[in-house]
Amino acid sequence: MERLELTLHPTKTRIVGLWTGEEGFDFLGMHHRKTKAETSESQVYYTTQQWLCRKAEERIREVVKERLAPANMRHKSFQEHLEYLNPKIQGWRNYYVTTYSQRKMAKRDWFIL
């Protein structure tokens, strides 16, 4: 890491025990955690699942509120709001959608609606 001139942040860096699945970690806007899964033939296996982390979810809400909530934005037409928000919403969907994040994404969609 020294060769790449990278350093670890002392308060953010920690060792996470994924073995038990009791804790996970947030990385690049996704929460990662080991969970139990089952195949259609009832075979149990463990996998690392990812879903939208709380901080990223709050940031999405913040961006939408910044656009729609202020009184000075109410004069803009519905079409202008759509043109601004649609690329952002599509980008969030492309980045954050995983098999395990459907519940979080539905919650985000409901908030935007």
Side-chain angles (χ1 to χ4, degrees):
M1 290 187 32
E2 291 174 12
R3 189 172 57 135
L4 297 174
E5 298 178 10
L6 298 174
T7 57
L8 298 176
H9 195 281
T11 58
K12 291 182 178 181
T13 305
R14 64 188 174 102
I15 296 175
V16 178
L18 289 178
W19 186 255
T20 61
E22 293 175 4
E23 62 179 332
F25 62 95
D26 294 340
F27 184 67
L28 296 177
M30 301 290 274
H31 182 75
H32 303 266
R33 181 173 289 182
K34 178 185 172 186
T35 56
K36 190 187 295 188
E38 195 172 324
T39 65
S40 58
E41 291 89 33
S42 300
Q43 294 178 335
V44 176
Y45 66 98
Y46 291 91
T47 183
T48 304
Q49 296 181 353
Q50 303 84 22
W51 55 84
L52 183 66
C53 75
R54 183 174 292 126
K55 186 176 177 183
E57 190 174 346
E58 289 170 2
R59 179 65 183 134
I60 290 170
R61 286 176 176 264
E62 204 175 281
V63 168
V64 173
K65 282 182 181 179
E66 284 174 2
R67 180 63 185 196
L68 300 177
N72 65 346
M73 295 303 266
R74 294 192 185 132
H75 73 280
K76 294 192 181 274
S77 70
F78 183 72
Q79 186 64 34
E80 288 176 299
H81 288 306
L82 281 179
E83 288 172 2
Y84 176 81
L85 286 174
N86 273 349
K88 291 184 179 304
I89 294 168
Q90 190 60 46
W92 292 326
R93 176 157 296 285
N94 290 341
Y95 183 76
Y96 290 114
V97 73
T98 65
T99 306
Y100 312 107
S101 68
Q102 294 304 317
R103 191 174 298 154
K104 291 275 190 179
M105 299 301 280
K107 185 178 170 183
R108 190 220 49 210
D109 290 343
W110 179 252
F111 173 77
I112 291 171
L113 283 173

